[in-house]
Amino acid sequence: MEHEETKKRRCLSVGILRAFVSSCSIRILLTLTLSVLAWSTDATSAVIPKAQAAHFCRLFIHDGETVAPLSLHARRLMTSGDSLTAEQMFATYIFHHDNWQTLRLFPHEAADGTVRWYAPADELPEAIGTEHQKYIREVLPRLQREIEAGNWQTVDAYIDRMLQYQCQFGSKSDTPGAASRRTFPSVVITLILLLTAVFVMVNRKKRAKRA
């Protein structure tokens, strides 16, 4: 069992390493680095079932340039393993340490007719009503609690409601949202080196224990 969990974590870590090369924001890069460090030392991380992970990855996200399904990013950033799909790895790390906070999943049509997408951690404009602001802030924490409890029917219901929300309020999304995508080559290289150092330290500790 422990060997299988180690194998899953190693597979996820390789996928996240690839994310350093093509991630769309420095905030996501930092989040991924911290997630890998935590994942490397946590042997009890629960993997989201294949069906619910695929369902979650049907949701759309604004990545700074375009609106696309999360599944597209999952397959671009992650490499499927022997026992896990790219969607499972992606969804698992998203909910492992509250990484959903920076995902722009919630569309809102502004007064000028443009549609902007917001994340739960964003500063929401007053134009978004109190009820919608509450939904944006609370739906993903509630979804995470249901995932942790293993209530998969409820998880599916939450995701269905989010899909309906996106279709209702994001149907006019055909232009970029708030921020344009930026790249930070030097920072990416630094974070890759940091990630490599983390893996080396973890492996050395494991070898020392075995010795």
Side-chain angles (χ1 to χ4, degrees):
M1 181 67 178
E2 182 178 355
H3 174 72
E4 182 65 21
E5 289 294 336
T6 301
K7 186 176 180 181
K8 289 179 180 180
R9 294 199 306 276
R10 186 183 299 114
C11 188
L12 177 62
S13 299
V14 171
I16 291 177
L17 180 59
R18 293 194 173 193
F20 278 94
V21 180
S22 58
S23 180
C24 63
S25 75
I26 186 61
R27 184 168 52 184
I28 293 178
L29 289 174
L30 291 172
T31 300
L32 289 174
T33 303
L34 295 174
S35 298
V36 170
L37 180 59
W39 188 280
S40 299
T41 58
D42 184 1
T44 62
S45 302
V47 175
I48 296 177
K50 183 177 179 180
Q52 280 70 36
H55 194 187
F56 175 75
C57 286
R58 288 174 54 196
L59 289 167
F60 287 86
I61 184 175
H62 197 296
D63 64 8
E65 285 188 346
T66 60
V67 176
L70 278 171
S71 58
L72 180 65
H73 293 279
R75 293 166 189 169
R76 184 179 297 164
L77 300 177
M78 304 296 185
T79 301
S80 299
D82 295 334
S83 58
L84 296 177
T85 65
E87 288 83 359
Q88 278 181 289
M89 291 188 289
F90 186 84
T92 296
Y93 94 72
I94 285 295
F95 286 101
H96 186 54
H97 280 299
D98 301 337
N99 294 324
W100 42 261
Q101 295 185 50
T102 58
L103 297 180
R104 292 195 288 268
L105 298 171
F106 303 96
H108 171 71
E109 185 175 353
D112 61 2
T114 61
V115 176
R116 296 179 183 275
W117 291 65
Y118 295 93
D122 287 343
E123 182 177 348
L124 303 177
E126 293 183 1
I128 299 179
T130 303
E131 183 179 347
H132 288 279
Q133 289 197 28
K134 183 178 181 181
Y135 179 76
I136 292 171
R137 301 287 191 209
E138 296 182 359
V139 64
L140 285 169
R142 291 178 179 177
L143 175 58
Q144 180 165 338
R145 287 194 293 269
E146 298 299 334
I147 288 173
E148 291 171 351
N151 298 328
W152 303 117
Q153 280 190 325
T154 307
V155 167
D156 284 328
Y158 269 105
I159 296 172
D160 282 336
R161 178 68 185 90
M162 291 177 68
L163 286 166
Q164 292 172 5
Y165 187 96
Q166 290 187 331
C167 290
Q168 182 176 353
F169 299 105
S171 59
K172 296 182 180 179
S173 290
D174 55 2
T175 58
S180 298
R181 181 164 59 188
R182 299 178 177 86
T183 56
F184 298 85
S186 61
V187 177
V188 172
I189 293 173
T190 300
L191 290 175
I192 290 176
L193 293 175
L194 175 62
L195 182 60
T196 303
V198 170
F199 288 145
V200 171
M201 287 189 293
V202 170
N203 287 331
R204 284 180 178 175
K205 289 181 180 179
K206 289 180 179 179
R207 290 174 183 174
K209 289 180 180 180
R210 291 173 183 172

